[in-house]
Amino acid sequence: MNPTIYLARCNPSKTAQLELLAAKLHPMVQLRISKVKSTEAQNQIILGRALLSLALIRLGAAGATLTEIGALRSGAPDLPNGFVGSIAHTDGLVAATAANGQFKIGIDIEHSWLSCRCPTADFCPAESPDTPSEACIRRWTISEALAKASGRSLSDVIKNSRPKKLSKGYSVRAISLSDGYYLSVASSVPFRNISFINVEIAQLLDAFQLS
């Protein structure tokens, strides 16, 4: 089965609903969330975990409920054997995806208000550090997605200055979403075979029988 990327708005007004999801998360994930001071950041973690669990369950993965997916020491999800996954979030929007283990996939998402993080002008010649160009955001998110898909560190990807050099074997695409968001995907699955689904928090509560 080909991967699906699930996207959901992270609305502060939905904090009470997200807390219902948080109560079902693996204890290690709950511990990580408790150490995060920002409510917004906590909500992003909760929503990302819920979307990842949904993606895995719909692929038929065993051990993929909210309670069963723990966390590695790095904080990354401890995924069921035979599956890969990726979570991305930025202010107001969260995305997650999963795939069978023979594939590789990584995603990243940012908003156009992102300050330029690029280390050199060669990497991305932004007009101004405070107003990065569309090319800057696309290249940054592509680098993040490639790092997640390949298992390489982001610094290693950035150090090469040209993400396209590292994209052999991957379908890489940066797309513009509504409201100034940008999503990049790096996948061993052709991009045309990847689908996208927008999910409401109420739908997640229904999926996990919490409504």
Short mmCIF file of all heavy atoms in Angstrom, two decimals, residues 52-70 78-84 98-100:
data_model
loop_
_atom_site.label_atom_id
_atom_site.label_comp_id
_atom_site.label_asym_id
_atom_site.label_seq_id
_atom_site.Cartn_x
_atom_site.Cartn_y
_atom_site.Cartn_z
N LEU A 52 0.35 9.99 13.14
CA LEU A 52 1.24 8.87 12.83
C LEU A 52 0.58 7.54 13.15
O LEU A 52 0.64 6.59 12.36
CB LEU A 52 2.55 9.02 13.60
CG LEU A 52 3.57 7.88 13.40
CD1 LEU A 52 4.03 7.82 11.95
CD2 LEU A 52 4.75 8.07 14.35
N SER A 53 -0.05 7.47 14.31
CA SER A 53 -0.76 6.25 14.69
C SER A 53 -1.85 5.91 13.70
O SER A 53 -2.00 4.75 13.28
CB SER A 53 -1.34 6.41 16.10
OG SER A 53 -2.02 5.24 16.50
N LEU A 54 -2.61 6.92 13.28
CA LEU A 54 -3.66 6.71 12.29
C LEU A 54 -3.08 6.17 10.99
O LEU A 54 -3.62 5.24 10.38
CB LEU A 54 -4.40 8.03 12.05
CG LEU A 54 -5.55 7.99 11.03
CD1 LEU A 54 -6.69 7.12 11.54
CD2 LEU A 54 -6.04 9.40 10.73
N ALA A 55 -1.96 6.77 10.54
CA ALA A 55 -1.33 6.34 9.29
C ALA A 55 -0.88 4.88 9.38
O ALA A 55 -1.08 4.10 8.44
CB ALA A 55 -0.13 7.24 8.98
N LEU A 56 -0.30 4.50 10.50
CA LEU A 56 0.18 3.12 10.67
C LEU A 56 -0.98 2.13 10.74
O LEU A 56 -0.93 1.05 10.14
CB LEU A 56 1.02 3.03 11.94
CG LEU A 56 2.41 3.67 11.86
CD1 LEU A 56 2.98 3.89 13.26
CD2 LEU A 56 3.35 2.80 11.02
N ILE A 57 -2.01 2.49 11.48
CA ILE A 57 -3.17 1.60 11.61
C ILE A 57 -3.82 1.36 10.26
O ILE A 57 -4.20 0.23 9.91
CB ILE A 57 -4.19 2.17 12.62
CG1 ILE A 57 -3.62 2.08 14.04
CG2 ILE A 57 -5.52 1.45 12.52
CD1 ILE A 57 -4.43 2.83 15.07
N ARG A 58 -3.92 2.41 9.45
CA ARG A 58 -4.54 2.28 8.14
C ARG A 58 -3.67 1.48 7.17
O ARG A 58 -4.16 1.00 6.15
CB ARG A 58 -4.89 3.65 7.58
CG ARG A 58 -6.05 4.30 8.35
CD ARG A 58 -6.55 5.57 7.72
NE ARG A 58 -7.74 6.05 8.42
CZ ARG A 58 -8.37 7.18 8.12
NH1 ARG A 58 -7.92 7.96 7.13
NH2 ARG A 58 -9.45 7.55 8.79
N LEU A 59 -2.39 1.32 7.50
CA LEU A 59 -1.50 0.46 6.71
C LEU A 59 -1.56 -0.99 7.21
O LEU A 59 -0.94 -1.87 6.62
CB LEU A 59 -0.06 0.95 6.79
CG LEU A 59 0.31 2.18 5.97
CD1 LEU A 59 1.74 2.60 6.27
CD2 LEU A 59 0.14 1.92 4.47
N GLY A 60 -2.28 -1.21 8.30
CA GLY A 60 -2.40 -2.56 8.84
C GLY A 60 -1.31 -2.93 9.82
O GLY A 60 -1.10 -4.12 10.11
N ALA A 61 -0.60 -1.95 10.37
CA ALA A 61 0.49 -2.22 11.31
C ALA A 61 -0.07 -2.69 12.64
O ALA A 61 -1.01 -2.10 13.18
CB ALA A 61 1.34 -0.98 11.51
N ALA A 62 0.54 -3.74 13.19
CA ALA A 62 0.19 -4.18 14.54
C ALA A 62 1.02 -3.38 15.53
O ALA A 62 2.12 -2.93 15.24
CB ALA A 62 0.49 -5.66 14.70
N GLY A 63 0.46 -3.16 16.72
CA GLY A 63 1.19 -2.41 17.73
C GLY A 63 1.31 -0.94 17.41
O GLY A 63 2.33 -0.32 17.70
N ALA A 64 0.27 -0.38 16.80
CA ALA A 64 0.35 1.01 16.33
C ALA A 64 -0.66 1.93 16.99
O ALA A 64 -0.90 3.03 16.51
CB ALA A 64 0.16 1.05 14.81
N THR A 65 -1.26 1.50 18.10
CA THR A 65 -2.20 2.39 18.78
C THR A 65 -1.44 3.52 19.47
O THR A 65 -0.22 3.48 19.61
CB THR A 65 -3.01 1.61 19.83
OG1 THR A 65 -2.12 1.15 20.87
CG2 THR A 65 -3.72 0.42 19.20
N LEU A 66 -2.17 4.50 19.93
CA LEU A 66 -1.56 5.63 20.63
C LEU A 66 -0.73 5.15 21.81
O LEU A 66 0.37 5.66 22.07
CB LEU A 66 -2.65 6.59 21.12
CG LEU A 66 -3.43 7.37 20.06
CD1 LEU A 66 -4.59 8.10 20.72
CD2 LEU A 66 -2.53 8.35 19.33
N THR A 67 -1.25 4.17 22.53
CA THR A 67 -0.58 3.69 23.73
C THR A 67 0.66 2.86 23.41
O THR A 67 1.61 2.82 24.18
CB THR A 67 -1.55 2.84 24.57
OG1 THR A 67 -2.73 3.61 24.84
CG2 THR A 67 -0.93 2.44 25.90
N GLU A 68 0.66 2.21 22.26
CA GLU A 68 1.72 1.26 21.94
C GLU A 68 2.96 1.89 21.33
O GLU A 68 4.05 1.33 21.43
CB GLU A 68 1.17 0.18 21.00
CG GLU A 68 0.16 -0.74 21.68
CD GLU A 68 -0.50 -1.69 20.70
OE1 GLU A 68 -1.00 -1.22 19.66
OE2 GLU A 68 -0.52 -2.90 20.98
N ILE A 69 2.84 3.03 20.68
CA ILE A 69 4.00 3.65 20.02
C ILE A 69 4.78 4.48 21.04
O ILE A 69 4.33 5.54 21.46
CB ILE A 69 3.58 4.53 18.84
CG1 ILE A 69 2.79 3.71 17.81
CG2 ILE A 69 4.81 5.15 18.17
CD1 ILE A 69 2.26 4.52 16.65
N GLY A 70 5.91 3.97 21.45
CA GLY A 70 6.73 4.66 22.44
C GLY A 70 7.66 5.66 21.79
O GLY A 70 7.40 6.18 20.71
N ASP A 78 9.09 5.16 18.36
CA ASP A 78 9.56 3.78 18.32
C ASP A 78 8.54 2.99 17.51
O ASP A 78 7.56 2.49 18.05
CB ASP A 78 9.68 3.24 19.74
CG ASP A 78 10.33 1.87 19.80
OD1 ASP A 78 10.82 1.41 18.75
OD2 ASP A 78 10.37 1.27 20.89
N LEU A 79 8.79 2.89 16.21
CA LEU A 79 7.79 2.37 15.28
C LEU A 79 7.71 0.84 15.31
O LEU A 79 8.68 0.16 15.64
CB LEU A 79 8.13 2.83 13.86
CG LEU A 79 8.10 4.35 13.65
CD1 LEU A 79 8.72 4.69 12.30
CD2 LEU A 79 6.67 4.86 13.72
N PRO A 80 6.54 0.30 14.93
CA PRO A 80 6.41 -1.15 14.83
C PRO A 80 7.41 -1.71 13.81
O PRO A 80 7.75 -1.03 12.83
CB PRO A 80 4.97 -1.35 14.35
CG PRO A 80 4.26 -0.09 14.70
CD PRO A 80 5.28 1.00 14.62
N ASN A 81 7.86 -2.95 14.02
CA ASN A 81 8.78 -3.57 13.09
C ASN A 81 8.17 -3.64 11.69
O ASN A 81 7.00 -3.95 11.52
CB ASN A 81 9.13 -5.00 13.55
CG ASN A 81 9.99 -5.00 14.79
OD1 ASN A 81 10.73 -4.05 15.05
ND2 ASN A 81 9.91 -6.07 15.57
N GLY A 82 9.00 -3.31 10.70
CA GLY A 82 8.55 -3.40 9.32
C GLY A 82 7.89 -2.15 8.79
O GLY A 82 7.35 -2.17 7.67
N PHE A 83 7.96 -1.05 9.55
CA PHE A 83 7.33 0.19 9.11
C PHE A 83 8.26 1.37 9.35
O PHE A 83 9.09 1.35 10.26
CB PHE A 83 5.99 0.43 9.82
CG PHE A 83 4.93 -0.55 9.42
CD1 PHE A 83 4.80 -1.76 10.10
CD2 PHE A 83 4.07 -0.29 8.37
CE1 PHE A 83 3.84 -2.69 9.73
CE2 PHE A 83 3.09 -1.21 7.99
CZ PHE A 83 2.98 -2.42 8.68
N VAL A 84 8.11 2.38 8.52
CA VAL A 84 8.82 3.65 8.70
C VAL A 84 7.77 4.75 8.80
O VAL A 84 6.63 4.59 8.39
CB VAL A 84 9.79 3.93 7.54
CG1 VAL A 84 10.88 2.87 7.47
CG2 VAL A 84 9.05 4.01 6.19
N ALA A 98 3.34 7.36 7.09
CA ALA A 98 3.98 6.08 7.38
C ALA A 98 4.00 5.26 6.10
O ALA A 98 3.25 5.51 5.16
CB ALA A 98 3.24 5.34 8.49
N ALA A 99 4.90 4.27 6.08
CA ALA A 99 5.02 3.41 4.91
C ALA A 99 5.56 2.06 5.34
O ALA A 99 6.15 1.92 6.42
CB ALA A 99 5.93 4.05 3.85
N ASN A 100 5.37 1.07 4.50
CA ASN A 100 5.98 -0.23 4.74
C ASN A 100 7.49 -0.11 4.70
O ASN A 100 8.05 0.75 4.02
CB ASN A 100 5.50 -1.24 3.70
CG ASN A 100 4.02 -1.57 3.85
OD1 ASN A 100 3.56 -1.84 4.96
ND2 ASN A 100 3.28 -1.55 2.76
#
